[in-house]
């Protein structure tokens, strides 16, 4: 009997032990919100994105398995959070008075509240707007040093922050300071209207001691990741590789091969190619260069493989993917097969797209220059159905020429998906038989377009 009683006692003790959950819980209530969903974005891991539904009263509750720093986005309100496994974070605020009403509580909320106080220090000293970037080097650096000192003091006094976090966060504060110095050249050139500005050697001496191979800091600190990315991008600018694009993507991939940290290599190589491969005419070259890097992130590699499997078929001479019965602003519907017999220059755009609208004057000039020749100009809007009238009004107001069509399902339209369109404007040139001449044709504002059309003797 004693043995049985002892066993029961042991079972009772072990059953009461709490194992740390492999996820964090985030809940709360946002009153007066104008949206039905909020989104949690990863700050250091930008691939993390989780949508959370708001109940009618603004309450929400969800779990997330990723850890680290996040941005909770609700309409125009942004809340920085830090989540660890086992946390139970509660976020409550009035959407009309976000900053003044925000309360973050619950298990593990100490780091999130520290981050809010840290942000206040930076925003108060930086001031509103962009005036800070018009200061001279000495005054700008003085403010950045003050921010760093106050944030380090705040961190030291924060009681609900673990020693491990404090160690990494102290380095992150320094990286934030260095990143602000590193960005000053481009920001000051623009906002101070000094396009020829070059920072003095003394201004940038603090950056001399950065080591660019710290994997732990790369994963933890968005500021360090920014510094590392800028460092290798600057190296890529010095390399000249045939068939490269304006972003030096192939050069960046070549540099990535020699990076010792696998995590840094994986991240930089993927970022160098994930978007450029969708609008280059050198898909095979980009794909082979990425494969040669030796990346080990299975999710990233699967993404590139998927894109390549589609894009490798969109080459010169291949039959173009088709669309059927798109609404024509002039009346009726139009299919791609209806346009055979002439070269077709296709512009995929939307009324909300600033870069698309910026190309309109140049597109009109090209249309006028080649009027009556063996080419037609086709514009396909991927506006949402709710903006259908806005599309029609813009055609009228801006006196848009050419053939104006409305896609059937926005970004999910089969034609858009078949061309793997991930950004607009996108331009495509087809021959009179409906075959691809260039899957990523030059923009109307680019002199290379006229060179191409003249080369084809249009």
């Amino acid at each position: 009997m004693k043995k049985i009683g002892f066993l029961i006692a042991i079972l009772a003790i072990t059953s009461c032990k709490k194992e740390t959950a492999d996820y964090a819980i985030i809940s709360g209530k946002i009153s007066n919100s104008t949206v039905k969903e909020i989104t949690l974005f990863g700050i250091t891991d930008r691939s993390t994105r989780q949508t959370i539904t708001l109940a009618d009263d603004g309450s929400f509750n969800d779990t997330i398995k990723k850890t680290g720093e996040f941005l909770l986005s609700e309409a125009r309100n942004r809340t920085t959070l830090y989540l660890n496994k086992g946390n139970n974070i509660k976020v409550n605020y009035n959407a009309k008075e976000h900053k003044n009403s925000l309360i973050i509580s619950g298990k593990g909320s100490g780091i999130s509240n520290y981050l809010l106080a840290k942000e206040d220090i930076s925003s108060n000293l930086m001031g509103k707007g962009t005036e800070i970037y018009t200061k001279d080097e000495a005054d700008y650096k003085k403010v950045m040093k003050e921010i760093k000192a106050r944030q380090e003091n705040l961190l030291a006094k924060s009681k609900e922050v673990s020693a491990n976090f404090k160690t990494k966060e102290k380095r992150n504060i320094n990286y934030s300071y260095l990143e602000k110095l590193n960005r000053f050249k481009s920001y000051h050139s623009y906002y101070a209207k000094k396009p020829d500005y070059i920072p003095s050697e003394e201004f940038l001496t603090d950056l001399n001691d950065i080591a660019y191979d710290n994997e732990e800091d790369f994963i933890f600190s968005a500021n360090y990741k920014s510094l590392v990315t800028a460092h290798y991008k600057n190296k890529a600018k010095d390399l000249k590789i045939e068939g490269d694009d304006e972003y030096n993507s192939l050069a960046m991939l070549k540099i990535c091969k020699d990076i010792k940290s696998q995590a840094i290599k994986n991240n930089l190589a993927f970022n160098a190619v994930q978007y450029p491969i969708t609008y280059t005419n050198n898909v095979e070259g980009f794909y082979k260069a990425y494969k040669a890097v030796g990346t080990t992130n299975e999710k990233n590699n699967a993404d590139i493989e998927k894109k390549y499997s589609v894009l490798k078929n969109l080459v010169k001479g291949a039959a173009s993917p088709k669309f059927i019965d798109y609404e024509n602003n002039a009346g009726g519907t139009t299919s791609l097969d209806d346009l055979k017999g002439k070269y077709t220059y296709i512009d995929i755009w939307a009324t909300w797209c600033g870069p698309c609208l910026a190309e309109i004057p140049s597109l009109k000039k090209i249309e006028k220059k080649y009027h009556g020749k063996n080419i037609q100009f086709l514009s396909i809007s991927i506006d949402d159905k709710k903006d259908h009238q806005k599309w029609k009004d813009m055609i009228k107001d801006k006196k848009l020429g050419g053939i104006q069509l409305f896609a059937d399902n926005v970004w999910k339209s089969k034609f858009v998906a078949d061309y793997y369109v991930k950004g607009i404007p996108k331009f495509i040139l087809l021959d009179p038989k409906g075959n691809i001449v260039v899957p990523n044709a030059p923009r109307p504002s680019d002199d290379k377009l006229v060179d191409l059309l003249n080369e084809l003797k249009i």
Side-chain angles (χ1 to χ4, degrees), residues 108-237:
S109 61
I111 294 179
S112 294
N113 282 305
Y114 155 76
L115 291 175
L116 288 176
K118 174 187 167 184
E119 287 176 0
D120 282 343
I121 290 173
S122 181
S123 60
N124 289 338
L125 290 175
M126 291 277 285
K128 294 182 179 180
T130 58
E131 184 180 350
I132 185 71
Y133 300 111
T134 65
K135 293 180 178 291
D136 62 29
E137 289 183 356
D139 289 341
Y140 178 82
K141 197 169 192 177
K142 181 179 179 181
V143 174
M144 297 309 114
K145 282 187 173 182
E146 179 67 15
I147 291 173
K148 178 186 174 185
R150 292 194 186 187
Q151 289 180 341
E152 287 177 338
N153 184 53
L154 171 69
L155 179 65
K157 292 181 178 179
S158 296
K159 296 180 179 180
E160 295 185 39
V161 175
S162 69
N164 180 53
F165 178 87
K166 281 188 175 182
T167 299
K168 291 186 286 188
E169 172 62 8
K170 186 172 182 179
R171 295 199 299 268
N172 179 47
I173 290 172
N174 185 52
Y175 290 137
S176 177
Y177 163 71
L178 297 175
E179 196 278 328
K180 288 183 175 70
L181 297 187
N182 199 45
R183 77 167 74 156
F184 185 68
K185 178 181 183 297
S186 59
Y187 280 51
H188 186 70
S189 296
Y190 182 80
Y191 291 112
K193 298 180 180 180
K194 297 178 180 178
D196 299 323
Y197 164 72
I198 301 295
S200 65
E201 290 186 17
E202 181 181 347
F203 180 74
L204 297 175
T205 52
D206 290 342
L207 279 75
N208 293 342
D209 296 327
I210 301 175
Y212 294 101
D213 58 357
N214 189 319
E215 191 166 298
E216 180 182 50
D217 287 352
F218 190 83
I219 295 170
F220 178 82
S221 170
N223 295 302
Y224 179 72
K225 182 178 286 188
S226 178
L227 288 165
V228 171
T229 301
H231 170 72
Y232 285 112
K233 280 187 174 181
N234 285 334
K235 279 194 167 187
K237 288 179 182 179

Side-chain angles (χ1 to χ4, degrees), residues 242-254:
E242 186 176 352
D244 211 347
D245 61 7
E246 60 183 307
Y247 305 107
N248 307 300
S249 302
L250 290 178
M252 188 69 165
L253 290 172
K254 184 175 182 179

